[in-house]
Each structure stands twice: as structure tokens, then as C-alpha cells.
Amino acid sequence: MLLTEKMKDDIFSPSERAIINYMFEQLELIRDKTTKQIAEETFTHPSTLVRIAKKLGYNGWIELKDHFLHEMEYLNSHFTNVDANFPFHEHDHLLNIANKMATLHQNTIKDTLSLMKFDDLQKATTLLDQATEIKIFGITNNLILCHDFKAHMNRIGKRVSICSIDSEFEAASSNSQTVAILISYSGESHVSHNILPLLQKRKTPIIAITSIGDNTLSKQADCVFRITTREKLYSKIGSFSSNNSIGFLLDVLYACVFSKDYQKNLEYKIQISERYDHRKSSNKVMEEE
């Protein structure tokens, strides 16, 4: 759940609610203000700010303030010209729809990249490169997106399984040399609640691909990659943005693993392709030498 959603819960006293309303009204202006200044401007006591932070699960006011400002900055960036849930309208012309979809995809990639952390990317690359097997878990719609990733990885000698059948058995039969990729937009799906404990019991490293904010999956994973979080669960035309975000993250993971041994992987991939790919083309751009 997003911090800004938690702040709307009915768990705060009138004085605490006054401070929360102030935070949403002032936004970036609270960055350099002290607890004393905010308390004076909201006619409350500085200790009230600390109580709010504790109620929301933070150690103190500074940690809460930083997380709040970071989340608000994210929610107010990139997607200013398009609605991820309804990127086009009923009476839009066809080329107008195409242009709006292009804008949505461009915004999604920028947005997903802005959420990526180097430490998680470095750790995930090492885990995937050293794994004897990679298993992917998720709901059916998400797993459909993973076949291209599986094909890419297989072509550089990495064994990847998409666990759409007997996923609990696949999790229970994993080990510390396996790496599990768990994909869940909400972070609270069957994958998070049923598969996660089995993998942890087997000491299997977990890479999470999930939404921003706190959820079961992000709290338990070894490294986390955030999906662009702009869509409702079902009140939308399609999962265009989240699907594109997941696909981009999988492409990045493949590319980073490929780069670990660039020349060897390139030579191996071309060698296999030369042997089995017999397609011909009259287009000079596609023609192989």
C-alpha cells in the first residue's frame, strides 16, 4: 500500500489529521521546515508529528517526511499528459489513439527507469548469472510476458522455467542455487502469500517485480524492481502500462546478465542461430552477411 493511501486511513486524531492535511497542501514546502515550525503553523505540538510517523511504521518524522516527499514526487512526475487507465477516449481518431499509446509507452519506460536502484540491479544480475536454474512465478497474464525473457536467456545457456502449473511444487523443489523471479502488481497475490514462504524455507533467492509502496512481496524479497504504478486493478481499458513496465524490466535483467560475459554470449548466440535459423530476406537491412 502507498504511504499516501495509509495517510487517509481513519486512525488519526484531529490534531494529527490537521498535520497530514497540511503535508498534502504544502508538499515540497515542508522539506526544510522543522517540527517546531510545522507544529506552530498547524496549532499542534511537535510530538504530534512523531506520533504520526510511529503510527505509519516509521522511526521518526524525518524518515516519514523523506518517504512522503519521494512518493509525491513520483506520483506527480512523467504521467502528466496521459491517463494510464484511460489513455484514449471514445471518439478519438485512430491515429490519435496511436499517438496517445506511444506517449503512454514512452512515459512508462521513463517512469520505470526512475524507480530502478543500482544496488538491486547489481545484486539481481549476479544472482541470475550464477543461478543453476531461474524460475518465474506470477499470475497467468504476467507469465505470458515472460516467454520472450525465457527465450533470450535460453539462447545464452541459462535455464529458465515459467511456473504456470504446479507452482507450489516448483517452489518447494527449489534450492539455494535456484533464483526465483516473483511478479505481482499488487504484491498481495497468491504468489506472494503461497509461493513466497515455500521459497524462503528452501533458502531460494527472490527477485521481486512489483508496485511501489509496502506490500508482502517487497518486504520479503532479496532485491526489488518496481513496476510503474499508475493503473487501477481493474477499472481500466487494459494493462498497457504495467505490462510494458514488466517487459522493460525483464529486458534490462537479460541485458545485464548478457553483459557479464558479453563476447562469449554473443558468439554463442550467433553460433546457435547460424545453425538453426534458416530464414531469408530480400531486405538489405535484415540480410545477414
Side-chain angles (χ1 to χ4, degrees):
M1 177 184 278
L2 297 178
L3 168 60
T4 46
E5 292 174 345
K6 290 181 182 178
M7 293 170 73
K8 296 174 183 177
D9 287 346
D10 189 22
I11 60 172
F12 301 103
S13 68
S15 59
E16 291 168 347
R17 177 56 61 192
I19 293 171
I20 289 173
N21 291 340
Y22 177 88
M23 291 171 68
F24 279 104
E25 290 167 4
Q26 297 294 312
L27 295 176
E28 186 65 29
L29 296 177
I30 71 170
R31 184 179 296 278
D32 298 319
K33 291 187 178 182
T34 65
T35 56
K36 183 180 178 181
Q37 288 175 311
I38 294 174
E40 288 176 350
E41 292 178 23
T42 56
F43 304 101
T44 59
H45 193 274
S47 62
T48 310
L49 283 75
V50 179
R51 286 204 305 273
I52 294 172
K54 297 290 186 182
K55 280 189 177 182
L56 291 167
Y58 294 92
N59 294 320
W61 167 252
I62 299 300
E63 186 181 5
L64 167 61
K65 181 180 69 173
D66 289 345
H67 195 152
F68 172 76
L69 290 173
H70 179 74
E71 188 171 293
M72 290 303 298
E73 181 182 3
Y74 168 76
L75 292 173
N76 292 321
S77 63
H78 298 140
F79 279 70
T80 55
N81 299 319
V82 62
D83 182 345
N85 296 296
F86 303 99
F88 57 89
H89 302 292
E90 182 178 2
H91 300 296
D92 282 344
H93 294 294
L94 298 183
L95 282 178
N96 195 17
I97 292 173
N99 274 284
K100 288 183 174 181
M101 291 300 292
T103 300
L104 176 63
H105 282 272
Q106 290 163 2
N107 275 269
T108 295
I109 298 302
K110 291 179 182 177
D111 200 54
T112 307
L113 186 61
S114 74
L115 294 170
M116 197 175 294
K117 295 180 179 178
F118 172 77
D119 288 346
D120 284 320
L121 185 57
Q122 185 179 51
K123 185 173 183 179
T125 301
T126 300
L127 287 172
L128 293 170
D129 183 58
Q130 295 177 352
T132 57
E133 183 179 17
I134 300 161
K135 294 184 178 181
I136 308 177
F137 300 88
I139 62 172
T140 302
N141 288 348
N142 288 339
L143 292 180
I144 291 172
L145 304 171
C146 300
H147 286 275
D148 196 40
F149 174 78
K150 176 182 177 178
H152 281 316
M153 294 290 277
N154 286 347
R155 287 169 186 169
I156 59 171
K158 300 295 181 182
R159 183 182 173 193
V160 176
S161 300
I162 297 176
C163 303
S164 56
I165 300 174
D166 292 334
S167 55
E168 283 88 354
F169 173 80
E170 291 287 354
S173 62
S174 301
N175 56 47
S176 60
Q177 301 304 309
T178 309
V179 170
I181 300 176
L182 273 61
I183 305 175
S184 173
Y185 184 55
S186 69
E188 303 295 346
S189 64
H190 162 84
V191 171
S192 301
H193 292 281
N194 289 23
I195 303 300
L196 196 55
L198 294 171
L199 292 169
Q200 290 174 320
K201 187 175 181 180
R202 301 294 296 170
K203 299 186 180 343
T204 302
I206 296 164
I207 297 172
I209 297 180
T210 188
S211 59
I212 69 169
D214 289 334
N215 59 52
T216 300
L217 178 54
S218 65
K219 289 177 180 177
Q220 303 298 323
D222 294 280
C223 40
V224 181
F225 295 91
R226 302 293 185 173
I227 301 169
T228 291
T229 310
R230 306 287 178 170
E231 296 173 351
K232 302 292 186 184
L233 289 176
Y234 53 84
S235 300
K236 56 190 175 185
I237 294 174
S239 300
F240 306 121
S241 184
S242 56
N243 285 352
N244 196 24
S245 184
I246 293 168
F248 172 68
L249 288 170
L250 292 172
D251 283 347
V252 169
L253 289 174
Y254 162 70
C256 288
V257 173
F258 190 100
S259 73
K260 291 285 285 184
D261 203 341
Y262 190 98
Q263 287 302 325
K264 178 183 175 182
N265 288 327
L266 183 60
E267 290 170 7
Y268 179 80
K269 186 178 183 299
I270 292 176
Q271 181 183 27
I272 295 297
S273 297
E274 285 177 340
R275 185 177 301 175
Y276 297 108
D277 191 343
H278 303 298
R279 291 174 296 171
K280 303 292 182 183
S281 174
S282 59
N283 190 321
K284 292 294 183 183
V285 174
M286 292 186 283
E287 190 175 286
E288 293 283 354
E289 295 181 3

